[in-house]
Amino acid sequence: MALKGEVIEKIAALLTVAFGLVAALAWNGAIQAIFKAVFGEAENIPAMLVYAVIVTIIAVVVTIWIGRLSEKAKGEETA
């Protein structure tokens, strides 16, 4: 029975990651559209680097924010 629970847990984790990837791709498309609307149809290396830096900064800030929310939620569960 323990193996069955572990398999279900791993499948749930993989499905979560898969949906996360789909969401990330959707956000990537949306952010690219916004970037093109603001900066035009620049397909050159400097524009792509600016896009990559902006997306990286957003990803870092959101990851830190989610981590803090998670820690806060864990703290409230144990309290």
Side-chain angles (χ1 to χ4, degrees):
M1 291 296 177
L3 180 61
K4 183 179 177 181
E6 190 173 333
V7 169
I8 291 172
E9 182 180 319
K10 296 299 180 188
I11 289 172
L14 288 172
L15 286 172
T16 301
V17 170
F19 281 117
L21 176 61
V22 171
L25 292 172
W27 277 108
N28 182 51
I31 292 168
Q32 283 182 348
I34 293 168
F35 188 82
K36 285 180 182 178
V38 172
F39 296 106
E41 292 289 328
E43 293 288 334
N44 56 24
I45 291 175
M48 293 169 74
L49 287 173
V50 169
Y51 169 73
V53 169
I54 291 170
V55 170
T56 301
I57 291 169
I58 292 169
V60 168
V61 170
V62 169
T63 301
I64 291 170
W65 179 66
I66 290 171
R68 289 181 181 170
L69 286 176
S70 176
E71 289 299 318
K72 185 178 178 182
K74 286 179 185 177
E76 290 175 1
E77 286 179 6
T78 58

